[in-house]
Amino acid sequence: MEKITIPSARFVLGEDALAVAADIDLGSRIRWKAQLSAAGFRVNTFAVGRGESITGEIDSTGSFRLLDGLLESKNRMSVTVDEWPEINAETDISWKDNRLQLSHTMMPPYDMDLKLDALIADLPTFELETHWQNIRWPFTSKPTWQSTSGSGTLSGQLDDYSVSLTTRLSGEYLPLSQIALNGTGSLQAFNLTQLILSPVDQGRLDSSL
C-alpha cells in the first residue's frame, strides 16, 4: 500500500460532527495533506457553562522522512466561535539535525508572531521570541484580560535561562498598566531581577532585586 485517501469522513459526537479529508503518501518519506472542518460544532470552552459554536477549517500539509526523522509541516487555521471575531493563524514546524524550529502567526484582529529555535542535544538550548498586539484571553468569550501590545523573550538552557517581558495589560481587577519583567532561572529556582508595574495615569511600582 503506497497511498491512503480519505475523501470525506464524519466523526459524530452527539448532535455535532467534524469532517475530515486527507491524502497520505507512504514510502521512505511520508507526505500528507489533510483538512479538518466544522460547521456549528458546539463545545464548552473558557466560558463556563456555555456551549460555544465553532465554524471553520484547519489545513495541514507536510512530510516526515523515516531515515533521519526530518519533519516539515505547514498548518493553517481559520475559525469563528459564535459572534466573536474570526481567528486566523499559521503554524510552521520543522525538525532537522536535532533542531526544532517553530513559527506561529496570528492575523488581525488578533496580531501575534512567535518564533522558537531549539537545539535538542546533551545540553538543550532554546530561543523563543514573541510580539503581539490586541491580544485577549479568552479569545472566544468576554475577556478576563487584554493586552494592547507586548513582547517577550526566553532563551538559554533549561538550567540557565533568561526571561524578558514588556506589555500593556488590563484586566478585570487590573487597570491598564505598563508592565516590564526581567529574570533568570534554572530547573531549581527563578530569580526575578526587575519588575515594573506602572498603571497608566496613576502611580508606579519599580522593584529591582
Side-chain angles (χ1 to χ4, degrees):
M1 182 170 59
E2 297 182 353
K3 186 173 183 178
I4 299 174
T5 299
I6 305 174
S8 180
R10 285 170 59 85
F11 295 90
V12 179
L13 301 173
E15 298 179 355
D16 303 310
L18 294 172
V20 177
D23 286 314
I24 305 173
D25 292 322
L26 304 176
S28 59
R29 172 176 287 195
I30 299 173
R31 293 182 171 88
W32 71 86
K33 181 178 181 181
Q35 182 182 82
L36 175 67
S37 59
F41 187 80
R42 304 196 70 84
V43 296
N44 287 320
T45 59
F46 300 98
V48 178
R50 175 184 176 187
E52 303 284 4
S53 177
I54 297 178
T55 299
E57 297 178 346
I58 299 176
D59 295 286
S60 177
T61 60
S63 65
F64 175 71
R65 194 162 63 194
L66 298 174
L67 180 63
D68 54 8
L70 175 65
L71 170 69
E72 295 179 342
S73 177
K74 294 182 179 295
N75 307 277
R76 307 292 181 264
M77 179 180 74
S78 178
V79 173
T80 301
V81 182
D82 279 354
E83 74 275 16
W84 306 104
E86 186 177 49
I87 300 172
N88 291 286
E90 300 179 353
T91 303
D92 296 340
I93 304 170
S94 71
W95 171 267
K96 181 180 180 181
D97 298 331
N98 293 328
R99 182 179 295 276
L100 172 65
Q101 294 180 304
L102 182 148
S103 174
H104 178 73
T105 302
M106 294 182 68
M107 276 67 80
Y110 310 118
D111 192 352
M112 170 183 282
D113 289 310
L114 183 148
K115 293 183 179 180
L116 170 66
D117 188 347
L119 179 62
I120 311 301
D122 294 336
L123 292 175
T125 61
F126 52 86
E127 182 174 353
L128 184 149
E129 181 179 358
T130 181
H131 304 269
W132 67 85
Q133 290 182 326
N134 303 319
I135 294 297
R136 47 185 274 175
W137 191 266
F139 290 111
T140 59
S141 62
K142 182 179 179 180
T144 56
W145 63 259
Q146 301 180 75
S147 177
T148 56
S149 62
S151 63
T153 61
L154 173 64
S155 61
Q157 302 176 352
L158 291 178
D159 205 40
D160 182 17
Y161 62 86
S162 61
V163 177
S164 177
L165 173 70
T166 302
T167 183
R168 289 173 65 90
L169 185 70
S170 64
E172 186 175 359
Y173 302 105
L174 177 70
L176 179 61
S177 303
Q178 183 75 27
I179 299 174
L181 178 152
N182 291 282
T184 58
S186 66
L187 292 174
Q188 291 74 36
F190 177 74
N191 178 32
L192 182 63
T193 57
Q194 185 179 51
L195 173 62
I196 299 175
L197 175 59
S198 179
V200 176
D201 299 327
Q202 297 185 37
R204 171 187 172 101
L205 170 63
D206 188 339
S207 176
S208 298
L209 305 175

